[in-house]
Amino acid sequence: MDEAAKYKKATYHLWTFTASKMIAMLGSHVLSFGISLYILAMTGSATSFATNMICSILPRALVAPLAGYVADNYSKKRTILLAQAGTILTMAGLLLYTELFGMSVNAIYVTTVFYTLCSAFSGVTFTSAIATLVNPERLQRAMSFNQMSMSVAAVGGPVIGGMMYGFFSMEVFLIVHMIAYAIAFCLEATMNFNLYSTRGDNTKKEKIWKGLVSGFSYIKQHKVIKVVMWLSLWINLFFSAIVVGGTYVIIELLKVEPTHFGFVEAAGALGMLVASIYFATRGEIKVPLRFSKFCLLLLSSSLAFAVIPLVTDFSYSMIVVFYILLYFIFAIFEMGVNMPLGVFMQKLISEEYRGRVFGLMETMAMSMMPIGMLVYGILYDMLPATGILLVTSAIIVVMTLVLLRTAVLREAHPEFYDETTMAERVAN
């Protein structure tokens, strides 16, 4: 295939995978909203709700490295289509069970586990395949479009789900989800996942254990990749302070109504959407690790600003407006950290190891989420929220300065720092 034809196909990929991701994620958010309300209405138990959340996190964290191995050693297209088909069949199974025996919480738990396993394989494989779907010059735009589709789905899913919940049964939610994934399946079946692949056709497949071990060895040999993975782990742990504390501070301590808190959370999704559009329309960040470091320092500072309404005499309306603006800015800085890092990692990691590296990163990140939520849940019950947020902000600043020190940035971007050093010598 000549370059003009490849560029045209890459443009097709850019829009097709954005549409497929948006449709699938929209269906997923609609179903998630409906199931959450259904469990609470059926049981009235927070424990049942939390159990379903564990079923949606733990299996993915455990199986992500295996999904990465499969992505690296088998056809990405086949893996994604099989995972999507598995999702559709899982929902069809729950629909059939409901028709025969009626809906039950245990059936939802089992369905959530299988759905999460399928999502792990499709998600990790899709992430590792982005760099082979589009040309390197449009990699940042592709990842921005990917994030944009998820942001739109995150905003639209609960809205659609809320409108449907009052008028339709749970079976309709399942059918909508199946239709969404069926459309995504048809779109992804037309894509060429080897368009910009650099791997030969005769690449030898590794056995599972050897493949996982070689993935670990590859990470150990690359200092910058190790730094980014540790950074991802600690970020997911310490930013649980705002995931848990945001709701606790705003609703419990400041007594903001849940309806108004919904506007605060929507502002975060809107901020991600705005940042996605920005990255999609601008050129690629030249020194991504330094850019992410700067945004992470701003992000940790915005975490500290969250205490201002706790120590000042703001009116109710000022509190709501303050947190709407803070969550909007918070989301923009978060995208400023994630987007350049994502593009950098796509280009830095060799194609034959991308799946395993991203799979391990996902395992580390997702395993930190429940730990962070548990730790901060206990801390907020024992200590003042003001102190927790300020100390966490300071810890993230120190962690950023240590992990992303100049020596690491110079190793990650030698071409930039060598040019800078030469320019300084000439000036002197």
Side-chain angles (χ1 to χ4, degrees), residues 160-334:
I160 297 172
M163 291 189 294
M164 288 177 58
Y165 187 76
F167 299 98
F168 299 103
S169 65
M170 197 64 221
E171 288 86 342
V172 176
F173 279 84
L174 296 174
I175 293 171
V176 168
H177 185 274
M178 290 166 61
I179 292 172
Y181 268 78
I183 295 172
F185 179 95
C186 293
L187 290 172
E188 289 156 10
T190 66
M191 296 164 65
N192 179 3
F193 285 83
N194 294 315
L195 185 64
Y196 283 92
S197 176
T198 57
R199 301 181 70 177
D201 296 331
N202 298 321
T203 304
K204 189 176 180 181
K205 293 183 178 65
E206 297 177 302
K207 292 184 178 179
I208 294 180
W209 180 248
K210 185 178 179 181
L212 292 174
V213 171
S214 66
F216 278 103
S217 300
Y218 177 81
I219 293 169
K220 287 174 64 177
Q221 292 168 10
H222 293 78
K223 179 181 178 181
V224 176
I225 295 177
K226 281 197 298 183
V227 168
V228 172
M229 293 188 72
W230 278 110
L231 190 67
S232 173
L233 184 147
W234 294 122
I235 285 175
N236 278 275
L237 175 64
F238 289 115
F239 275 108
S240 297
I242 195 65
V243 174
V244 176
T247 306
Y248 175 75
V249 168
I250 296 171
I251 293 181
E252 291 296 324
L253 299 184
L254 297 173
K255 306 301 180 185
V256 171
E257 295 180 12
T259 305
H260 295 151
F261 180 64
F263 288 112
V264 174
E265 290 196 316
L270 181 61
M272 286 193 174
L273 182 60
V274 170
S276 298
I277 295 172
Y278 168 76
F279 282 111
T281 54
R282 65 151 292 159
E284 188 175 320
I285 305 296
K286 292 184 178 180
V287 193
L289 220 57
R290 189 180 66 167
F291 188 91
S292 293
K293 176 182 179 179
F294 178 69
C295 288
L296 188 53
L297 291 173
L298 292 175
L299 185 62
S300 58
S301 300
S302 64
L303 179 64
F305 284 133
V307 307
I308 291 177
L310 292 171
V311 296
T312 55
D313 191 22
F314 277 6
S315 66
Y316 181 85
S317 58
M318 286 180 66
I319 291 173
V320 174
V321 171
F322 177 86
Y323 280 112
I324 286 175
L325 292 174
L326 186 66
Y327 270 57
F328 180 81
I329 295 170
F330 197 90
I332 289 177
F333 290 152
E334 184 179 352

Side-chain angles (χ1 to χ4, degrees), residues 5 17 37 39-40 62 91 97 123 141 159 262 280 374 388 393:
F17 87 77
L37 293 182
I39 289 175
L40 289 175
L62 293 175
M91 294 305 155
Y97 179 90
R141 180 177 296 181
V159 174
L374 176 63
I388 293 172
S393 175

